[in-house]
Amino acid sequence: MKVTLSALDTHESSFTPLVVIELAQDVKEETKEWLKNRIISRKKDGGAQLLFRPLLNKYEKETLENQNLYLVGASRIRLLLGAEAVGLVKECSDDTMRAFMYGTRHNFKGFDDDNDDFLTMAERQFIIKHELESLRARDEKMIPGYPQAKLYPGKSLLRRLLTSGIVIQVFPLHDNEALKKLEDTWYTRFTVKYQPIDSIRGYFGETIALYFGFLEYFTFALIPVAVLGLPYYLFVWENYDKYVVFASFNLIWSTVILEVWKRGCASMTYRWGTLVMKRQFEEPRPGYHGVLGINSVTGREEPLYPSYKRQLRIYLVSLPFVCLCLYFSLFVMMIYFDMEAWALDLHENSRSEWTGILLYVPSIIYAIVIEIMNRFYRFAAEFLTSWENHRLESAYQNHLILKVLVFNFLNCFASLFYIAFVLRDMKLLRQGTFDDYLELFLQFGYVSLFSCVYPLAAAFAVLNNLTEVNSDALKMCRVFKRPFSEPSASIGVWQLAFETMSVISVVTNCALIGMSPQVNALFPESKADLILIVVAVEHALLALKFILAFAIPDKPRHIQMKLARLEFESLEAFKQQQMKHVAENLKEDWREGGKESAP
Amino acid sequence: MKVTLSALDTHESSFTPLVVIELAQDVKEETKEWLKNRIISRKKDGGAQLLFRPLLNKYEKETLENQNLYLVGASRIRLLLGAEAVGLVKECSDDTMRAFMYGTRHNFKGFDDDNDDFLTMAERQFIIKHELESLRARDEKMIPGYPQAKLYPGKSLLRRLLTSGIVIQVFPLHDNEALKKLEDTWYTRFTVKYQPIDSIRGYFGETIALYFGFLEYFTFALIPVAVLGLPYYLFVWENYDKYVVFASFNLIWSTVILEVWKRGCASMTYRWGTLVMKRQFEEPRPGYHGVLGINSVTGREEPLYPSYKRQLRIYLVSLPFVCLCLYFSLFVMMIYFDMEAWALDLHENSRSEWTGILLYVPSIIYAIVIEIMNRFYRFAAEFLTSWENHRLESAYQNHLILKVLVFNFLNCFASLFYIAFVLRDMKLLRQGTFDDYLELFLQFGYVSLFSCVYPLAAAFAVLNNLTEVNSDALKMCRVFKRPFSEPSASIGVWQLAFETMSVISVVTNCALIGMSPQVNALFPESKADLILIVVAVEHALLALKFILAFAIPDKPRHIQMKLARLEFESLEAFKQQQMKHVAENLKEDWREGGKESAP
């Protein structure tokens, strides 16, 4: 269902709605009343202290079941207090990045008591989402009106409402005016230009801005490879030395671009405040469950779940399951290759029209099976990762991505590896294989893993990404429901995935060069010598790669200095706080003493 | 020169001397007077505010030129303030580790206003050293009486005094009673037992305690390898499968012991306070020079030196120099092998007594050349690292160790590699090669790099280390001059070196197994297939190794939690500090406003 509600579509202006809660059709009045109470009642009474009202829009009444849509907003002060609670980091007048606090609000750049621009709409919606998710059960044993929807102290109400089908969805509203403005600078003009990453961040949040930033960076980074690859394709350069040049360039390139991205990403997220934001000190993600207790780091009351239990779940259940799926996937691939060989055999023997059609059957069956497996696997991966019970959203995401990634990598590249290294059929390997399904990671795989065989891969990738930027932007703005902003400091486990891919690419490129007929012709008498030389070169390249990655600092120096400054100031403040405590205790002792000695 | 002065040897008890400064014979009175003044005058007048007096010991007058030996000590309060200045971390009554502050001294475990035991002697001496090193030139243009010993604002006085030969040495005093006590529990009894690591730390400081801790840990860790290696030696097990078992065990072993050490080391240094101690916020090491300015992290005045200049020095001078030396060393080794082949040839042709002696000549020449090169290289490495101008002592040490390590690694193992993989002479490789010169790193190299060829290496290493513990302990206590304590949180670049070695050992072990006649016999027709299989296994093992290292957290969870707690508390304190500032400013504004509106 696509919802086109926006903040301006609502007539009542008692508050600016930011988030919509859609309830199921048959929700009991009792439940609605209880939910409303929990949302609007004060913090100290266990509420979220937000504004809440049903959507009463005559204009849209015909098309939407309005009685089940509720708008959530918050007063200005409530939003600022929420910004402090979620730990948003903003720039101060003295150019430092500081955790926002309501009490020190006038220290921050761009803060004005009469102006709402200080928090971006994405931030305000993130705050509302956080406050809704932080609503936890107190003494309720169940959701009123739904005895089967059990609650226990500390259970996230919103999560229980969602899992028991009472709340259908919670989503942030679009702001048509801001969206139009963003679109104008982003993708409507058909010229190649930088994207307005900061504006994207303002509207969609850091995670999505980082995706587009990475997409843009990666596309630009691909250009040298694309340019270098062209002559290899045009002049069919297949000599040994030219191959080596291309593969070596590729190796250095893939290492350096990933390191440079890390640095650029740190600069960007420092500016946005998310690099400094300590998300590990936040409250746990709503799906996190456990016995209510005191977090030993923050001292706050929250559900606790022992880490060793999570480790056991990961290593004894999730890991074996993933390995099993990978094995099964390889097994299916082998059957596919057997079927294809059988069909080819049949066709060559009879050469009828019927067997000609039969040739396509294995591929079709394989594609269908892979798709089914993929969907099943993704479902299982989500279930398992959720069951692993990670405290932080980022840990949940990283574990989920890692699972999905490994499987997709195997499915996309296993057949290529098999063709390249077992069948050794370079012609088969050279069929282009781009389709909409491949994401950047797989693209990077094609560009880096088999660079010598596909010299055009990078050029295609550049062309693809130039259109991808626009189509992804269009999807974000017009097709998909607006997502909640998610502050993030880096591309997370993707960085690791890309780095792993670039290590694997050293191995594959060396192997491909070693297998080329030209190189083999240089060692007519001894294949063993050839392999030894290739392996030695490969080890040297890998060593070089690790040294490069080690020698290039992950953060630019000025960012390192600023982070060190922040750490230093915090430690100093902590010392002063301890001093103050001692002074206060002394004063207290002195007063007590005074009282006692008084007659 | 061995100096056996101890704190108790001095008769005057006006203060407890901790550190001795030895001046040159001909130092002018004017200089002595100036130095004394700078040491005893108050902090705010640019002095060190320490106690200082010549050693007037009748008993030792005959043997020592006492008029040139000066004792330095400090009052109790001065030492506690110094502990705060160097950022010593101690345990509080609530079991947390906190930076010591004089103001909060009563919060710390074991603190007593009437007792001096709170700071260990090593810590007190470290504080005195730090204070002496922090004495920096103000407006002096030269050292009084020595116009050639130039000074500029911010230059460390002690360093200039040492480099211009006015001060011969600065060293901490022994405490005979405490030393005796330490020795009794450490090495006098000839039973195998745990060392008193905490007492060693108390007397010699963290760096030396970590060395002995690592020596002990490593020796215990070697025992399984030693036990497993024995039957390989006794029964001359040379089958393929048994080899593989030993090599695989070795691989897992070397990865796991290094990861476990990291965790144990973190627990230990957390207890000692050095894991939490922020040495990067300290004042720079005395050798550090630059233009006096404001450190942007700590806000303190200190010499500043741009990081890019250091990088240039490292990459454009030090790195090429090291590479050149490595190349030269390899070149010398090749000449040695040529000479040896020539001598052997000559001997086999003539078989005279004279040529029999000649057989030893290449080895003797090579040993002498290597020793000369080694000494020259070490001198050059120290010069270059000092010239790189590192701000922190740890950075200086790490860069120096790395340089020396690479060179020693090459010298010790290059010939073994050459024998193993080029000459392929396993008999030659099996000659034992232990001598006093080899340190633990090289021992680890012998055990891990060529485990299959030397099954007894680990057993010898264990035996060697059991005696090494005692002889090293004896050297520390009785032979060497007492070193200054150096707080450290880990074994620094050695960890990296050991990890690198264990990566290399995967490669060498796989290669050795691949080269064994038994394995070769399995692939009589195709050597290429054999190599491919070995390389595939090697890559799988390397991947496993990296995954293992990645999956095992570097710090135990309870330490991670405590560090996170500290960070959280610091950030919270920083927030409160900012709030306080705002409140104070408001109060100030209000007062100002009140004044203005007053008639």
Side-chain angles (χ1 to χ4, degrees):
Chain A
M1 177 185 131
K2 195 186 165 241
V3 179
T4 51
L5 289 175
S6 91
L8 293 172
D9 289 336
T10 56
H11 289 233
E12 289 191 12
S13 58
S14 62
F15 69 86
T16 312
L18 289 163
V19 169
V20 177
I21 298 181
E22 187 189 354
L23 296 185
Q25 296 286 351
D26 53 352
V27 172
K28 295 178 185 148
E29 275 308 315
E30 168 193 11
T31 313
K32 284 184 189 170
E33 199 53 35
W34 167 79
L35 180 62
K36 185 186 168 184
N37 264 329
R38 289 301 301 256
I39 291 178
I40 63 171
S41 62
R42 280 178 303 179
K43 266 277 185 192
K44 59 173 185 173
D45 302 329
Q49 208 162 349
L50 299 174
L51 306 173
F52 182 82
R53 65 163 172 76
L55 178 65
L56 297 170
N57 184 351
K58 278 171 192 153
Y59 179 74
E60 292 203 352
K61 209 168 195 174
E62 278 74 30
T63 54
L64 287 168
E65 300 285 338
N66 286 350
Q67 65 270 40
N68 292 311
L69 289 174
Y70 291 83
L71 299 173
V72 184
S75 68
R76 211 167 153 281
I77 290 177
R78 183 70 195 83
L79 283 172
L80 291 174
L81 289 170
E84 178 175 339
V86 298
L88 283 194
V89 170
K90 292 273 178 184
E91 193 176 8
C92 282
S93 318
D94 59 350
D95 290 340
T96 55
M97 302 301 295
R98 301 257 186 264
F100 176 78
M101 284 184 292
Y102 186 72
T104 60
R105 61 194 181 281
H106 294 289
N107 289 354
F108 289 86
K109 259 188 196 165
F111 187 86
D112 182 346
D113 271 323
D114 307 321
N115 198 330
D116 274 354
D117 284 351
F118 182 67
L119 297 175
T120 67
M121 192 172 175
E123 282 167 343
R124 277 177 271 157
Q125 288 168 332
F126 172 71
I127 291 164
I128 301 262
K129 171 171 160 262
H130 174 265
E131 295 296 338
L132 288 175
E133 283 174 347
S134 308
L135 269 180
R136 290 179 184 276
R138 283 148 62 106
D139 43 9
E140 297 104 324
K141 290 275 172 291
M142 50 157 214
I143 288 175
Y146 294 82
Q148 78 283 10
K150 293 268 180 296
L151 291 175
Y152 52 85
K155 174 72 190 174
S156 164
L157 294 183
L158 190 64
R159 193 170 158 84
R160 176 55 83 230
L161 288 166
L162 281 163
T163 52
S164 55
I166 300 165
V167 168
I168 308 284
Q169 57 177 345
V170 179
F171 57 90
L173 284 166
H174 263 303
D175 174 345
N176 281 341
E177 201 181 317
L179 184 63
K180 190 83 205 58
K181 218 185 264 175
L182 175 66
E183 283 181 305
D184 284 346
T185 55
W186 195 359
Y187 67 92
T188 40
R189 271 170 261 153
F190 285 94
T191 51
V192 178
K193 59 183 169 54
Y194 292 109
Q195 299 171 88
I197 301 291
D198 284 327
S199 310
I200 299 173
R201 178 240 165 188
Y203 196 84
F204 287 111
E206 288 79 14
T207 303
I208 286 168
L210 278 180
Y211 168 72
F212 283 99
F214 185 69
L215 176 60
E216 180 176 286
Y217 171 81
F218 184 58
T219 307
F220 280 108
L222 277 170
I223 290 175
V225 191
V227 170
L228 200 70
L230 275 181
Y232 282 83
Y233 177 76
L234 294 176
F235 308 125
V236 201
W237 279 352
E238 296 195 338
N239 346 17
Y240 169 60
D241 46 345
K242 294 211 182 66
Y243 256 171
V244 171
V245 169
F246 193 46
S248 311
F249 173 80
N250 234 304
L251 158 82
I252 306 279
W253 169 82
S254 69
T255 311
V256 170
I257 64 153
L258 292 176
E259 293 295 315
V260 171
W261 164 256
K262 252 191 270 184
R263 293 165 64 88
C265 180
S267 295
M268 207 146 67
T269 53
Y270 178 81
R271 198 174 66 226
W272 295 342
T274 48
L275 188 67
V276 176
M277 196 170 167
K278 296 286 170 181
R279 299 213 62 189
Q280 69 267 34
F281 299 145
E282 267 177 38
E283 292 180 37
R285 61 189 292 270
Y288 183 71
H289 57 84
V291 183
L292 211 59
I294 300 293
N295 181 318
S296 69
V297 173
T298 62
R300 286 195 284 254
E301 195 183 46
E302 64 174 45
L304 298 182
Y305 186 75
S307 148
Y308 79 91
K309 279 195 190 169
R310 184 180 308 117
Q311 300 290 328
L312 286 181
R313 287 180 175 193
I314 292 175
Y315 287 110
L316 297 186
V317 180
S318 297
L319 186 66
F321 175 79
V322 170
C323 291
L324 206 75
C325 286
L326 294 182
Y327 176 79
F328 185 71
S329 173
L330 277 179
F331 184 73
V332 167
M333 192 185 80
M334 288 301 155
I335 294 178
Y336 159 67
F337 279 114
D338 281 352
M339 271 167 63
E340 196 155 82
W342 170 79
L344 205 69
D345 216 44
L346 208 73
H347 181 64
E348 281 183 358
N349 287 340
S350 61
R351 295 217 164 267
S352 73
E353 200 174 290
W354 187 83
T355 56
I357 295 167
L358 193 71
L359 274 181
Y360 295 99
V361 172
S363 299
I364 294 168
I365 294 177
Y366 183 59
I368 293 171
V369 170
I370 283 286
E371 188 56 31
I372 293 171
M373 273 167 53
N374 222 338
R375 279 170 193 235
F376 164 74
Y377 180 82
R378 199 173 276 248
F379 175 79
E382 277 180 28
F383 174 80
L384 281 175
T385 315
S386 175
W387 179 69
E388 282 161 20
N389 200 14
H390 295 278
R391 187 178 171 275
L392 296 176
E393 183 63 27
S394 59
Y396 171 82
Q397 288 294 339
N398 285 347
H399 276 85
L400 177 60
I401 291 171
L402 205 62
K403 286 192 188 71
V404 171
L405 208 67
V406 168
F407 192 71
N408 275 346
F409 176 83
L410 192 87
N411 277 342
C412 285
F413 294 108
S415 57
L416 294 183
F417 275 93
Y418 188 77
I419 294 169
F421 298 113
V422 182
L423 302 184
R424 301 201 179 178
D425 185 339
M426 290 302 149
K427 288 224 177 57
L428 185 60
L429 189 59
R430 271 170 214 239
Q431 282 172 13
T433 18
F434 284 110
D435 66 58
D436 261 33
Y437 168 75
L438 292 176
E439 295 151 356
L440 285 186
F441 175 68
L442 303 179
Q443 204 178 74
F444 181 67
Y446 283 106
V447 173
S448 62
L449 289 182
F450 299 98
S451 63
C452 314
V453 186
Y454 297 122
L456 276 191
F460 280 127
V462 170
L463 290 178
N464 177 70
N465 290 356
L466 289 179
T467 55
E468 181 103 353
V469 169
N470 284 334
S471 65
D472 281 0
L474 182 74
K475 279 186 216 162
M476 280 312 303
C477 295
R478 292 290 157 190
V479 182
F480 293 153
K481 216 162 52 187
R482 181 174 186 177
F484 274 109
S485 149
E486 188 65 38
S488 59
S490 70
I491 57 172
V493 78
W494 287 107
Q495 185 77 38
L496 178 72
F498 274 80
E499 282 167 11
T500 308
M501 179 79 95
S502 89
V503 169
I504 297 173
S505 77
V506 175
V507 182
T508 53
N509 278 307
C510 287
L512 284 175
I513 290 174
M515 278 161 54
S516 71
Q518 293 82 7
V519 177
N520 273 272
L522 292 177
F523 296 84
E525 72 293 338
S526 166
K527 231 186 138 193
D529 282 0
L530 164 67
I531 300 175
L532 284 178
I533 289 175
V534 170
V535 170
V537 168
E538 184 233 334
H539 280 68
L541 289 177
L542 280 178
L544 175 70
K545 199 174 157 53
F546 281 104
I547 292 172
L548 257 183
F550 185 79
I552 303 176
D554 285 358
K555 296 192 184 80
R557 199 170 157 78
H558 69 279
I559 302 286
Q560 287 176 34
M561 300 297 283
K562 281 172 179 162
L563 294 179
R565 170 85 195 153
L566 182 68
E567 195 186 351
F568 178 76
E569 286 181 331
S570 304
L571 285 170
E572 289 298 310
F574 187 42
K575 285 187 191 170
Q576 294 204 357
Q577 193 188 50
Q578 286 171 275
M579 291 288 286
K580 223 181 82 190
H581 283 312
V582 168
E584 275 163 11
N585 286 342
L586 281 178
K587 216 186 272 175
E588 199 70 26
D589 287 353
W590 182 80
R591 267 194 214 134
E592 299 278 325
K595 266 183 212 161
E596 274 167 33
S597 65
Chain B
M1 176 186 133
K2 195 189 164 235
V3 179
T4 51
L5 289 175
S6 89
L8 293 172
D9 290 336
T10 56
H11 288 234
E12 288 190 12
S13 59
S14 63
F15 69 87
T16 313
L18 290 163
V19 170
V20 177
I21 298 181
E22 188 190 353
L23 297 185
Q25 296 286 353
D26 53 352
V27 172
K28 295 179 185 147
E29 276 308 315
E30 166 191 14
T31 313
K32 285 183 189 170
E33 199 55 35
W34 167 80
L35 180 62
K36 184 186 168 183
N37 263 328
R38 288 301 302 258
I39 290 178
I40 64 170
S41 62
R42 280 179 301 178
K43 265 278 184 192
K44 59 174 186 174
D45 303 329
Q49 209 163 347
L50 300 173
L51 306 172
F52 181 84
R53 65 162 172 78
L55 178 64
L56 296 171
N57 184 349
K58 277 172 193 154
Y59 179 73
E60 293 205 351
K61 210 167 195 174
E62 278 75 29
T63 53
L64 288 167
E65 299 286 337
N66 285 348
Q67 65 270 41
N68 292 310
L69 289 174
Y70 290 84
L71 299 173
V72 184
S75 67
R76 209 165 157 282
I77 291 178
R78 182 71 194 83
L79 283 172
L80 291 175
L81 288 171
E84 178 175 340
V86 299
L88 282 194
V89 171
K90 292 273 179 184
E91 193 175 9
C92 282
S93 319
D94 59 350
D95 290 340
T96 55
M97 302 301 295
R98 302 257 185 265
F100 176 77
M101 284 185 293
Y102 186 72
T104 60
R105 63 194 178 281
H106 294 289
N107 289 353
F108 289 85
K109 258 188 195 164
F111 186 87
D112 182 346
D113 271 324
D114 307 322
N115 198 331
D116 274 354
D117 283 351
F118 182 66
L119 297 175
T120 67
M121 192 173 178
E123 282 168 342
R124 278 177 271 159
Q125 288 167 332
F126 173 71
I127 291 164
I128 301 264
K129 172 172 160 260
H130 175 265
E131 294 297 338
L132 289 175
E133 282 174 347
S134 308
L135 269 181
R136 290 178 183 278
R138 284 149 61 107
D139 44 7
E140 298 103 324
K141 291 275 173 289
M142 50 157 216
I143 287 175
Y146 294 83
Q148 78 284 9
K150 294 268 180 292
L151 291 174
Y152 52 86
K155 174 72 191 174
S156 163
L157 294 182
L158 191 64
R159 191 168 158 84
R160 175 57 82 230
L161 288 165
L162 281 163
T163 52
S164 54
I166 301 166
V167 167
I168 307 284
Q169 58 177 344
V170 179
F171 58 89
L173 284 166
H174 264 302
D175 174 344
N176 280 342
E177 200 180 318
L179 183 63
K180 192 82 205 58
K181 215 186 268 176
L182 175 66
E183 285 180 305
D184 283 345
T185 54
W186 196 358
Y187 67 91
T188 40
R189 270 171 262 153
F190 284 94
T191 50
V192 178
K193 61 182 167 55
Y194 292 109
Q195 299 171 87
I197 301 291
D198 284 325
S199 310
I200 300 172
R201 178 239 166 190
Y203 196 83
F204 287 111
E206 287 79 13
T207 304
I208 285 168
L210 278 181
Y211 167 72
F212 282 99
F214 185 70
L215 176 61
E216 179 176 286
Y217 171 80
F218 184 58
T219 306
F220 280 108
L222 276 171
I223 290 174
V225 191
V227 170
L228 200 68
L230 275 180
Y232 282 83
Y233 177 76
L234 295 176
F235 309 124
V236 201
W237 279 352
E238 294 195 340
N239 349 15
Y240 169 60
D241 46 345
K242 295 211 180 66
Y243 255 172
V244 171
V245 169
F246 194 45
S248 311
F249 174 79
N250 235 303
L251 157 83
I252 306 280
W253 170 82
S254 69
T255 310
V256 170
I257 63 151
L258 292 176
E259 292 295 317
V260 172
W261 164 255
K262 252 192 272 186
R263 293 165 64 89
C265 180
S267 295
M268 207 147 67
T269 53
Y270 178 80
R271 198 174 65 227
W272 295 342
T274 48
L275 188 68
V276 175
M277 196 171 168
K278 296 285 168 181
R279 300 213 62 189
Q280 69 267 34
F281 299 145
E282 265 177 38
E283 292 180 36
R285 60 188 291 269
Y288 183 69
H289 57 84
V291 184
L292 211 60
I294 301 293
N295 181 318
S296 69
V297 173
T298 61
R300 286 195 284 254
E301 195 182 48
E302 66 174 43
L304 298 182
Y305 185 76
S307 147
Y308 79 92
K309 280 195 190 169
R310 184 179 310 117
Q311 300 290 329
L312 286 180
R313 286 180 175 192
I314 292 174
Y315 288 109
L316 297 185
V317 180
S318 297
L319 186 66
F321 174 80
V322 170
C323 291
L324 206 75
C325 286
L326 294 181
Y327 176 79
F328 185 71
S329 171
L330 277 179
F331 184 74
V332 167
M333 192 186 81
M334 288 301 156
I335 293 178
Y336 159 67
F337 279 114
D338 282 352
M339 271 167 63
E340 196 155 82
W342 170 79
L344 205 69
D345 216 44
L346 207 72
H347 181 64
E348 282 184 356
N349 287 340
S350 61
R351 296 215 163 268
S352 73
E353 199 171 295
W354 186 83
T355 55
I357 295 166
L358 192 71
L359 274 181
Y360 294 99
V361 172
S363 299
I364 294 168
I365 295 178
Y366 183 60
I368 294 171
V369 170
I370 282 287
E371 189 55 32
I372 293 171
M373 274 168 53
N374 223 337
R375 279 167 193 238
F376 164 74
Y377 181 81
R378 200 173 274 248
F379 176 79
E382 276 179 27
F383 175 80
L384 281 176
T385 314
S386 175
W387 179 69
E388 283 162 19
N389 200 15
H390 294 278
R391 186 178 173 276
L392 296 176
E393 183 64 25
S394 59
Y396 171 83
Q397 288 293 342
N398 285 347
H399 276 85
L400 178 61
I401 291 171
L402 206 61
K403 287 191 188 72
V404 171
L405 207 67
V406 168
F407 191 71
N408 274 347
F409 177 82
L410 193 86
N411 278 342
C412 285
F413 294 108
S415 58
L416 293 183
F417 276 93
Y418 188 78
I419 293 168
F421 298 114
V422 182
L423 300 184
R424 301 199 178 179
D425 185 339
M426 290 302 149
K427 291 227 173 53
L428 186 60
L429 189 60
R430 271 171 213 238
Q431 282 171 13
T433 20
F434 283 109
D435 65 57
D436 261 33
Y437 168 76
L438 292 175
E439 294 150 358
L440 285 186
F441 175 67
L442 303 178
Q443 203 178 76
F444 182 67
Y446 282 106
V447 173
S448 62
L449 288 183
F450 300 98
S451 63
C452 314
V453 186
Y454 296 124
L456 276 191
F460 280 126
V462 170
L463 290 179
N464 177 70
N465 290 355
L466 289 179
T467 54
E468 180 103 354
V469 170
N470 283 335
S471 65
D472 281 359
L474 181 75
K475 279 186 216 163
M476 280 313 303
C477 294
R478 291 290 158 191
V479 183
F480 294 153
K481 215 161 53 187
R482 180 174 187 178
F484 273 109
S485 148
E486 187 66 40
S488 58
S490 70
I491 56 171
V493 78
W494 287 107
Q495 184 76 38
L496 179 71
F498 274 80
E499 282 167 10
T500 308
M501 179 79 95
S502 89
V503 169
I504 297 172
S505 76
V506 175
V507 182
T508 53
N509 277 308
C510 286
L512 284 174
I513 290 174
M515 278 162 53
S516 71
Q518 293 81 6
V519 177
N520 274 270
L522 292 177
F523 296 84
E525 72 293 339
S526 166
K527 230 187 138 192
D529 281 0
L530 163 68
I531 300 175
L532 284 179
I533 288 174
V534 170
V535 170
V537 168
E538 184 232 334
H539 279 68
L541 289 177
L542 280 178
L544 175 70
K545 201 177 156 52
F546 281 105
I547 292 172
L548 257 184
F550 185 80
I552 302 175
D554 285 357
K555 297 191 182 82
R557 200 172 156 76
H558 68 280
I559 302 286
Q560 287 176 36
M561 300 298 283
K562 281 173 178 161
L563 294 178
R565 170 86 196 153
L566 182 67
E567 194 186 351
F568 178 75
E569 286 181 331
S570 303
L571 286 170
E572 288 298 309
F574 187 43
K575 283 186 190 171
Q576 293 204 357
Q577 193 188 52
Q578 286 171 276
M579 291 287 286
K580 221 181 82 189
H581 284 311
V582 168
E584 274 163 12
N585 286 342
L586 280 177
K587 216 186 272 177
E588 198 70 26
D589 287 353
W590 182 80
R591 269 193 212 133
E592 297 279 323
K595 264 183 214 163
E596 272 167 33
S597 65

